[in-house]
């Protein structure tokens, strides 16, 4: 098997880092305060193991979503949760399914469990065919919604139609839900085969902390608890994530700002003549174009290198026809957007 290829984390300063969909704003001060409190008395609490089932984090997630805490499982990032789902529900003869393109970690996790992978193509209209997914033969299907790297969000009604037609477990990976209009939490409340996974890494600006969770139908949470590490989320992550979830005002303001910058980047890049997919995430998939260079994989590669030479880092997905002509650009601060747009303009006019 081969390992997942994470986005580059450049060393040294001076980079405009728009390549791994991190949040450009610092996290809620309440999260930092929770860590400070947990470290009082010279950090004496760190001698002790944390809550084995991440009670503080699960209770905060329960308040946040109005969901039953006993049906929530916390993880060391949502990647941990995705791994647990595959460990519990997939394996040899029990394939996982995913849309192509979507998150490239799923096949890596499946390979480690000896589970085959069924890829269902995203349609040319950037949607999915309910019957094709429902009949794909997977034991567990991962629907990335909003999709990454395309950025499109699938309507809840379409996801519900899929859940009703699909005989296996449908996992809706909502890593980017904080930047979208709606979510599928309601489906995890009502339907017996829908799990929604969430992360604190994107909307809550805590990628360095590693915290995520799954909202499960009854029965599924118990299964995931059986296969997880007994202390899979550390003490500081549990309290900081809980405090971040409780700070609704911070989320409202920062996610609104990210959306505003995203929509401005979309408008301005379209104005330059680039092809941009309207995004529901904190990133854009945009195909660079100029009068001399229509969109192509070579133009995307050239624009990528042009930006890199100016210490602006974005990401390429050269191995799929829907992404090979594009750059994936994480939405940064307004100041970062200025720097990026000036460089994009220089490339387009150069
Ligand atoms: N799902 C998707 C679609 C993602 O893009 C990511 C982040 N790369 C994750 C899950 C995992 O996020 P984390 O492990 O940081 O919670």
């Amino acid at each position: 098997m081969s390992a997942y290829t994470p986005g580059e984390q450049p060393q040294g300063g001076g980079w405009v880092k728009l390549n791994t969909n991190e949040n450009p704003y610092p996290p809620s001060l309440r999260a930092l305060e929770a860590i400070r409190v947990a470290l009082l008395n010279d950090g004496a609490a760190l001698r002790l193991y944390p809550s084995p089932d991440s009670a503080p984090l699960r209770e905060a997630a329960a308040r946040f979503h109005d969901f039953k805490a006993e049906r929530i499982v916390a993880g060391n990032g949502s990647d941990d949760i995705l791994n647990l789902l595959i460990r519990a529900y997939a394996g040899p003869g029990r394939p996982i399914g995913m849309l192509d393109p979507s998150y490239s970690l799923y096949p890596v996790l499946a390979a480690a469990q000896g589970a085959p992978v069924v890829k269902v193509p995203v349609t040319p209209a950037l949607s999915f065919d309910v019957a094709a997914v429902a009949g794909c033969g997977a034991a567990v299907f991962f629907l990335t919604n909003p999709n990454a790297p395309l950025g499109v969000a699938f309507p809840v009604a379409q996801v519900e139609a899929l859940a009703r037609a699909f005989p296996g477990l449908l996992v809706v990976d909502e890593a980017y839900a904080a930047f979208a209009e709606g979510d599928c939490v309601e489906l995890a409340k009502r339907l017996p085969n829908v799990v929604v996974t969430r992360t604190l890494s994107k909307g809550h600006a805590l990628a360095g902390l590693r915290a995520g969770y799954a909202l499960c139908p009854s029965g599924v949470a118990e299964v995931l608890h059986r296969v997880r590490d007994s202390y899979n989320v550390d003490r500081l992550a549990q309290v900081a994530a809980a405090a971040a979830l409780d700070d609704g005002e911070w989320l409202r303001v920062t996610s609104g700002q990210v959306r505003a910058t995203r929509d401005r980047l979309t408008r301005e890049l379209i104005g330059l003549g680039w092809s941009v997919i309207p995004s529901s995430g904190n990133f854009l998939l945009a195909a660079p174009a100029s009068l001399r260079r229509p969109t192509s994989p070579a133009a995307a590669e050239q624009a990528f290198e042009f930006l890199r030479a100016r210490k602006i880092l974005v990401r390429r997905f050269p191995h799929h026809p829907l992404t090979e002509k594009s750059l994936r650009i994480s939405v940064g601060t307004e100041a970062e957007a200025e720097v990026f747009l000036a460089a994009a303009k220089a490339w387009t006019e150069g």
Side-chain angles (χ1 to χ4, degrees):
M1 61 174 286
S2 22
Y4 175 71
T5 314
E8 186 180 346
Q9 296 289 350
Q11 301 303 307
W15 286 89
V16 174
K17 191 176 173 306
L18 306 176
N19 68 328
T20 46
N21 296 348
E22 285 135 338
N23 196 308
Y25 298 108
S28 160
L29 289 175
R30 291 212 217 163
L32 305 190
E33 183 56 24
I35 292 176
R36 246 179 249 121
V37 168
L39 291 175
L40 288 177
N41 303 323
D42 298 329
L46 292 185
R47 290 185 309 104
L48 307 173
Y49 284 102
S51 163
D53 63 357
S54 302
L57 168 50
R58 287 170 44 250
E59 280 153 20
R63 286 191 290 278
F64 187 81
H65 296 289
D66 188 22
F67 203 90
K68 286 198 167 68
E70 62 268 26
R71 282 170 44 189
I72 300 176
V73 178
N76 181 39
S78 61
D79 284 348
D80 183 25
I81 298 290
L82 301 172
N83 195 23
L84 296 179
L85 285 160
I86 291 177
R87 201 184 281 171
Y89 289 96
R94 294 180 62 80
I96 73 148
M98 61 186 281
L99 291 183
D100 188 27
S102 65
Y103 187 28
S104 59
L105 179 71
Y106 311 132
V108 176
L109 301 175
Q113 303 300 325
V117 179
V118 183
K119 292 186 177 178
V120 180
V122 169
T123 62
L126 304 183
S127 183
F128 65 86
D129 183 80
V130 170
V133 176
C136 77
V140 44
F141 194 91
F142 291 88
L143 185 73
T144 320
N145 194 26
N147 178 280
L150 298 175
V152 290
F154 308 117
V156 181
Q158 189 182 0
V159 180
E160 174 158 9
L162 172 61
R164 292 187 184 280
F166 180 57
L169 192 66
L170 177 63
V171 179
V172 187
D173 178 345
E174 292 195 344
Y176 298 101
F179 312 103
E181 293 302 321
D183 63 47
C184 292
V185 171
E186 201 53 43
L187 301 184
K189 283 183 191 166
R190 282 195 282 118
L191 300 180
N193 65 334
V194 174
V195 174
V196 166
T197 62
R198 289 286 185 121
T199 178
L200 277 286
S201 298
K202 313 292 182 184
H204 295 278
L206 290 169
L209 196 69
R210 314 303 302 132
Y213 52 90
L215 306 170
C216 304
S218 57
V220 173
E222 290 81 349
V223 172
L224 297 183
H225 281 304
R226 278 182 235 158
V227 297
R228 68 172 172 80
D229 287 351
S230 28
Y231 302 102
N232 63 331
V233 185
D234 73 68
R235 179 178 288 277
L236 302 182
Q238 288 187 28
V239 293
L245 285 167
D246 282 337
D247 194 348
E249 182 60 11
W250 181 94
L251 182 64
R252 196 184 62 73
V253 171
T254 54
S255 63
Q257 183 59 61
V258 167
R259 275 184 284 213
T261 306
R262 173 191 71 199
D263 297 345
R264 172 182 167 214
L265 280 167
T266 306
R267 281 193 306 275
E268 301 216 8
L269 289 176
I270 289 173
L272 289 177
W274 293 29
S275 301
V276 188
I277 299 174
S279 172
S280 296
N282 65 340
F283 58 88
L284 292 178
L285 196 73
S290 68
L291 283 181
R292 289 194 299 115
R293 290 164 299 215
T295 62
S296 72
E301 185 58 31
Q302 209 201 10
F304 176 89
E305 293 300 341
F306 182 93
L307 294 166
R308 198 171 203 292
R310 284 153 188 77
K311 297 199 94 173
I312 301 170
L313 203 53
V314 296
R315 191 132 179 214
R316 290 266 291 121
F317 292 86
H319 302 303
H320 194 282
L322 285 176
T323 57
E324 65 183 0
K325 297 176 187 169
S326 295
L327 307 176
R328 195 198 63 187
I329 305 144
S330 306
V331 175
T333 59
E334 275 291 302
E336 289 171 324
E338 295 291 345
V339 174
F340 170 78
L341 283 169
K345 189 160 185 282
W347 179 85
T348 306
E349 292 171 355

